[in-house]
Each structure stands twice: as C-alpha cells, then as structure tokens.
Amino acid sequence: MKKIMLTIMAILIISSFAGCIGDNTPVDDEITTVNIVDTIGREVDVPKEVNSIVCVGSGSLRLLTYLDAVDMISGVENSETKPTGRPYSLANTKIYSSLPIIGQGGSDPKPNPEAIIAVNPDVLFITYVDKQTADELQLQTGVPVVVLSYGGASRASFEINSVYGSLTLAGDIIGKENRADDVIEFMKQNFEDLNQKTKNITENEKPTVYLGGIAKSGSQGITSTQYKFLPFEALGAKNVVNELELGNDPQQTFVDKERLISWNPDYIFIDEGSFNGIKEEYGKNPELFNSFTAFNGGNTHAVLPITSYTINIGTLLADSYYIGKTIYPDQFNDVNPEENADDIYSFLVGEGVYNQMKSDYGGFGKIDSNTFEIK
C-alpha cells in the first residue's frame, strides 16, 4: 500500500510540473513571431507565418518577385505600375497594376502609412532607409519593417553578396528558403560561367572597355559610368575606369571628358537607359564621339538599361553575355544573347521579356557611327 501511495504522489508531482511548463512555456506550435536581424542590424519580430507583404523603395519589389512571392503582394507603389525598364514589373504588369497603391515610389519614395495599414500586410520590406526611418514607419503602421540591401547607401552602388544576403533573409521570413537558395545559385552559376569562358584569355588579349550612360536619378551622359562594373569584372575585361582606384565597392561615378578621350577604350558600351540623351549629346558634340577609335571603328554597342529603380540583376546578367559575345566572340560562340536574356528573365521573373525591353529601348546592337542608331 505504501508503494502505491508513493507512486500516486510521484505522478501528481510530475503532473503539476508539466502543468507549469504548459502554462508558462509555449511549445513551438504556439510561437507566433520570430526575431530576425535585418540588413542594417535592426532586431525585428516578424510573424512565424507570413501570407501578405508590401515592398517599398528601390528594388524591394524586384527581390520579392525573384523569390516567386507575387501572390503574396498586397499593395504596390504607383511607380511599379509603370514598369519601363523593369523586367520584374513587365512580367507581372497585370497583377501589380491591379493592386492597391501604398505610395508613389520612384522620385517620391516616401510611403503612405495609412494606405499600408489599409492593405494589412504581415511584413513590410524596404530598401535605402536608415534605422530611424525604418523604426518610425514600423511605429506608424504597426507592421514589422524589414530593411533589405543592394549594398551601399547609394542607389547606384551594387554589391552582389549584399543581394544574396537580402534574398536569404526575405526567403526565410516568407517561407521561400528553397527558392532563395535556387535564385542565389542561379546567379552564382551565371557569374561562374562567365568566369570559365574567359579564364584562359591572357592579359594581352583582354581589351579595354568602358560603359557610358549609367542612370542616376534619371538618364545621364556619356561620362556617367560604373567603377568595377560587375559584367566587366566577371569577364576579366579591362575597365578603364578602374584606373581611378575608388576602393573595393562597385559604384556609379562621373569622369572628365578629357580623361575618357585619353583612355580611348577598345570598346564602348552605352546603357540604353540614357541612350536618347547620349544621342542628343552626340548631335551637339560629334567631335567628342569621333575622337574615340571604338566609335569610328564600329566597336560601340548598346546594352539594355541596367539601372531602373536601382540595379536590375537579370538585365545585368543578360548584358554580361552580350558584352562577352562582343569582345570575346570565340569564347561565346555558343551563346545567343537574346535567347539567353529570355532564359534569365524567365527564371527570375517568370516570363521572357527581352522583346518588350527591345521594343522599349532598342535591344542589343552596334551603334552606327553616322546615324547613332542601333543596328
């Protein structure tokens, strides 16, 4: 009898402890939020399960589109309904143009807290803001605000590892971890393919190259360029701008016309986001362009606009293959740049939109030195 009473008491004691654990320590299924650290070091509690999101600022919606999260978007900035130069919006125009507007975006990036509250998102993703701005927006809306990054404070700066980190972070938050891994691997494979195709080219065989017309708050002239431009880096080409030694981070910069003339690069590429303005520049100052051997010798080419609401990574990859085909034709003899562009767009944004980009901007091609038209 004594043993039976001791056993009953033991069970009661264990049960009472179990009750305390159940009352005070939630099991995994009861956890409703997860603490994350965003790209600027902010700790944010986000829902464990996310079904609805909004994206604010340059490139935010692009990254979430890459993550195949289109059906989770509950509202967009007005500028995203006019998708010129943005393949992610071109591929999803019908969807994004039908959603509620949560702010103007573009040149007026300030979000509308009331409009955001109205669409009731679980998480708000934003780019190019500081901690104070993000915290204020979170307080105003009551929505967890997560800052994503393309690298650097400037919209014309770009660092691919920062993009990888942002994709991983956003993928973890919205339950798209596998897609984030696939997107990152896709980008890495493309850059590795570019490296492999050109790895045996000797220094003497590498041409000097220059990219003009990088947009910054709108189109720019021939002297707007990119230091450590990633396609040139991946191809092992000699970007004349790297002579400036501006540091380790790729960035948009301006160069003196006299310096550009003295460089006289073997190949010049024009970003079509600024093409019309540069064509006007040519009309006003043809002597500048005629001073370049690349222009008179047929080695000036147009590439799709890389910057529209910050860097279009799919376009950057597509341009890389066209540039590679242009300066290293033997190594890229198996590449059709237009078909390759559509393959890249299809994977990243769900649809091949090269023809639409070509219709809007001119597409890949050589620039005629007499007419400044793309051939």
Side-chain angles (χ1 to χ4, degrees):
M1 186 67 179
K2 186 176 180 180
K3 288 184 178 179
I4 293 173
M5 291 300 295
L6 289 172
T7 301
I8 292 172
M9 289 176 65
I11 291 172
L12 289 172
I13 291 170
I14 292 170
S15 298
S16 67
F17 275 111
C20 290
I21 293 171
D23 291 341
N24 298 298
T25 306
V27 296
D28 286 347
D29 289 343
E30 295 173 342
I31 297 174
T32 58
T33 63
V34 178
N35 184 265
I36 62 95
V37 178
D38 70 12
T39 61
I40 59 172
R42 296 170 57 251
E43 290 193 19
V44 184
D45 290 328
V46 299
K48 183 179 178 182
E49 183 176 341
V50 175
N51 298 300
S52 173
I53 60 177
V54 293
C55 301
V56 176
S58 301
S60 178
L61 184 61
R62 177 184 296 111
L63 295 182
L64 273 297
T65 303
Y66 287 175
L67 292 177
D68 196 22
V70 173
D71 60 344
M72 302 175 73
I73 307 295
S74 59
V76 297
E77 294 173 307
N78 188 48
S79 65
E80 300 286 24
T81 66
K82 307 174 181 67
T84 304
R86 303 176 195 176
Y88 66 95
S89 287
L90 286 174
N92 298 284
T93 300
K94 289 183 179 179
I95 296 173
Y96 290 156
S97 63
S98 69
L99 293 174
I101 301 301
I102 58 167
Q104 285 303 308
S107 59
D108 181 14
K110 186 177 181 180
N112 183 327
E114 292 78 13
I116 292 170
I117 292 169
V119 300
N120 194 31
D122 296 321
V123 175
L124 186 157
F125 292 102
I126 193 169
T127 55
Y128 299 104
V129 294
D130 57 20
K131 181 181 184 298
Q132 181 179 346
T133 302
D135 288 344
E136 287 177 354
L137 183 59
Q138 184 166 294
L139 186 63
Q140 291 171 333
T141 61
V143 178
V145 173
V146 177
V147 181
L148 303 179
S149 174
Y150 280 69
S154 166
R155 289 168 178 77
S157 298
F158 178 73
E159 203 280 310
I160 191 63
N161 287 323
S162 294
V163 172
Y164 295 157
S166 291
L167 288 167
T168 297
L169 174 63
D172 288 346
I173 291 171
I174 67 173
K176 296 278 189 178
E177 299 92 338
N178 291 339
R179 173 62 179 176
D181 289 343
D182 290 345
V183 171
I184 292 168
E185 183 60 24
F186 177 81
M187 292 177 180
K188 288 182 176 180
Q189 285 179 353
N190 275 270
F191 286 122
E192 178 60 22
D193 184 45
L194 295 167
N195 289 149
Q196 288 297 314
K197 287 181 182 297
T198 58
K199 68 178 182 178
N200 293 324
I201 297 173
T202 67
E203 284 298 311
N204 290 335
E205 294 174 312
K206 294 178 180 179
T208 55
V209 291
Y210 176 82
L211 174 72
I214 284 285
K216 183 179 182 181
S217 301
S219 65
Q220 300 291 337
I222 188 69
T223 61
S224 175
T225 188
Q226 186 86 21
Y227 173 74
K228 289 197 173 180
F229 181 49
L230 193 53
F232 292 163
E233 299 291 302
L235 292 164
K238 298 177 182 177
N239 183 358
V240 292
V241 183
N242 290 358
E243 180 186 299
L244 299 178
E245 298 183 352
L246 300 178
N248 294 322
D249 298 330
Q251 56 185 283
Q252 187 265 0
T253 190
F254 291 87
V255 298
D256 294 332
K257 291 179 181 178
E258 292 74 17
R259 185 184 290 269
L260 181 53
I261 293 170
S262 69
W263 281 332
N264 194 23
D266 297 320
Y267 289 87
I268 294 176
F269 295 90
I270 302 295
D271 185 307
E272 289 176 337
S274 298
F275 182 80
N276 289 335
I278 292 178
K279 185 176 180 179
E280 290 181 9
E281 189 177 5
Y282 164 74
K284 296 176 181 177
N285 187 9
E287 294 80 11
L288 170 63
F289 292 83
N290 288 326
S291 66
F292 300 127
T293 303
F295 187 69
N296 292 313
N299 285 333
T300 298
H301 294 255
V303 294
L304 296 174
I306 297 154
T307 305
S308 178
Y309 220 29
T310 203
I311 304 295
N312 287 289
I313 304 163
T315 297
L316 184 145
L317 290 172
D319 283 353
S320 297
Y321 280 93
Y322 176 72
I323 294 169
K325 179 86 171 183
T326 300
I327 65 178
Y328 302 128
D330 292 340
Q331 285 77 10
F332 286 79
N333 59 6
D334 61 335
V335 174
N336 181 314
E338 297 190 357
E339 292 178 1
N340 193 67
D342 266 343
D343 289 342
I344 292 169
Y345 290 141
S346 294
F347 179 84
L348 291 176
V349 302
E351 183 180 334
V353 294
Y354 173 78
N355 284 336
Q356 184 61 55
M357 293 285 284
K358 181 177 181 179
S359 175
D360 291 341
Y361 291 98
F364 301 136
K366 185 180 295 186
I367 296 175
D368 188 284
S369 59
N370 295 314
T371 64
F372 214 87
E373 297 295 336
I374 301 169
K375 299 193 296 183

